[in-house]
Amino acid sequence: MNVGKSIRMKRIFDQRTKKTVMIPMDHGITLGPAKGLENVREVMRCAIEGGANALIMHKGIVKDCYVNCARASGLIIHLSASTSLSVDPDYKILLTTPDEALSLGADAISVHVNVGSEKEHQMLLDAGMVSRRCEYLGLPMLAMMYPRGKNIHNQYDPDLIAHVCRVGAEMGADVVKTNYTGDPDTFKRVVRGCPVPVLVAGGLRTSTDTELLENISGAMEAGAAGVAVGRNVFMHEAPALMVRRICAVVHDGLSPEEAMDIRV
């Protein structure tokens, strides 16, 4: 990894544990002002207060919200987008470039690739070109890799998850984010097959906080390098508390039950 990437990776990973807790808040393009994202500044404040290592957002939110934070977690600018109103919401296009992200103060960028979609080839091409430019700029690239498309019947299948993570690494990503397979044993296979750090996504809103923490604990046991949790934080009635509990599992090795005992 080049010097610039190494320096910036330290801004988005905890230097004590070498793990990370990222909070994506890039859902506004996909879903609009969804529950919890009506006031992005407040969610941002809560995530930072809770101890998030990095926030993921689109470029417009950087200019309107992130720049005014009193103190800040690491900044990851998401380059990819589609809306839920699209005829093909699985097709993610690039809204901006690594150069613009760097000019806005990004510590890293992220791209989204749905492997198995009808436009997989275009997303792979875009991600490959982004990777090349990031290498030149010394800007880490997070690849959000998911098995999605008309022939994908189970996007949590361990073999599919292992495949898409390897695709992300092969195309030049420095970190890969993907679905949790559901248990530590199968996720260990995913981690073993991917030569770059693997993060687990928080996914859809879970029925209980304990369920989310159990998934995170299982992923960490399997060797995950951290998590990227969006809906289960910004839709939570106490976002800062939820981030604090997630950090306790990821960075301090607390059990889900011990983390749930954290009240402030």
Side-chain angles (χ1 to χ4, degrees):
M1 187 175 292
N2 67 35
V3 174
K5 284 191 175 186
S6 296
I7 290 171
R8 292 184 176 95
M9 285 286 278
K10 290 178 182 178
R11 297 175 188 162
I12 60 175
F13 277 77
D14 185 282
Q15 290 309 288
R16 175 178 62 89
T17 65
K18 310 304 180 187
K19 307 295 184 184
T20 187
V21 173
M22 299 181 180
I23 309 300
M25 43 189 69
D26 56 297
H27 304 67
I29 288 182
T30 306
L31 304 174
K35 177 186 176 184
L37 282 182
E38 302 95 336
N39 187 338
V40 182
R41 289 182 183 86
E42 178 60 15
V43 172
M44 214 171 277
R45 184 194 65 77
C46 290
I48 293 169
E49 179 186 322
N53 298 104
L55 310 179
I56 304 173
M57 66 194 74
H58 285 291
K59 63 179 182 178
I61 301 302
V62 178
K63 294 185 285 186
D64 289 340
C65 303
Y66 181 86
V67 71
N68 294 315
C69 288
R71 58 188 178 90
S73 302
L75 172 61
I76 301 175
I77 296 182
H78 194 42
L79 274 53
S80 304
S82 68
T83 78
S84 58
L85 306 177
S86 171
V87 295
D88 186 5
D90 285 340
Y91 178 32
K92 304 293 182 176
I93 64 165
L94 297 180
L95 291 183
T96 185
T97 65
D99 295 76
E100 184 179 14
L102 192 62
S103 75
L104 289 168
D107 297 306
I109 60 91
S110 59
V111 295
H112 185 140
V113 177
N114 288 320
V115 179
S117 79
E118 292 185 1
K119 295 294 178 64
E120 171 198 290
H121 61 287
Q122 186 61 54
M123 285 181 278
L124 288 174
L125 176 62
D126 289 344
M129 296 302 101
V130 166
S131 170
R132 181 173 68 179
R133 187 60 182 167
C134 284
E135 197 67 30
Y136 175 79
L137 295 172
L139 192 60
M141 173 174 140
L142 164 66
M144 302 181 182
M145 306 296 299
Y146 299 100
R148 290 179 184 167
K150 65 180 181 181
N151 293 324
I152 305 295
H153 304 297
N154 177 12
Q155 61 176 308
Y156 302 96
D157 183 292
D159 291 333
L160 297 181
I161 296 296
H163 189 169
V164 300
C165 286
R166 186 54 177 260
V167 170
E170 297 269 355
M171 72 186 186
D174 301 291
V175 186
V176 169
K177 168 193 167 190
T178 194
N179 292 329
Y180 182 50
T181 54
D183 66 86
D185 288 339
T186 55
F187 204 72
K188 282 178 184 175
R189 287 165 35 205
V190 173
V191 173
R192 280 199 305 265
C194 186
V196 301
V198 179
L199 310 181
V200 291
L204 299 175
R205 186 77 169 95
T206 54
S207 55
T208 67
D209 295 346
T210 302
E211 179 186 348
L212 173 69
L213 295 175
E214 286 173 347
N215 287 340
I216 292 172
S217 180
M220 300 310 295
E221 178 188 337
V227 299
V229 181
R231 291 174 178 86
N232 283 291
V233 166
F234 63 71
M235 289 183 172
H236 198 276
E237 61 274 9
L241 175 60
M242 198 61 212
V243 175
R244 201 167 288 120
R245 288 171 173 168
I246 293 168
C247 286
V249 174
V250 171
H251 293 310
D252 300 321
L254 267 63
S255 69
E257 294 74 21
E258 290 170 329
M260 284 299 297
D261 285 338
I262 297 172
R263 300 297 177 187
V264 294

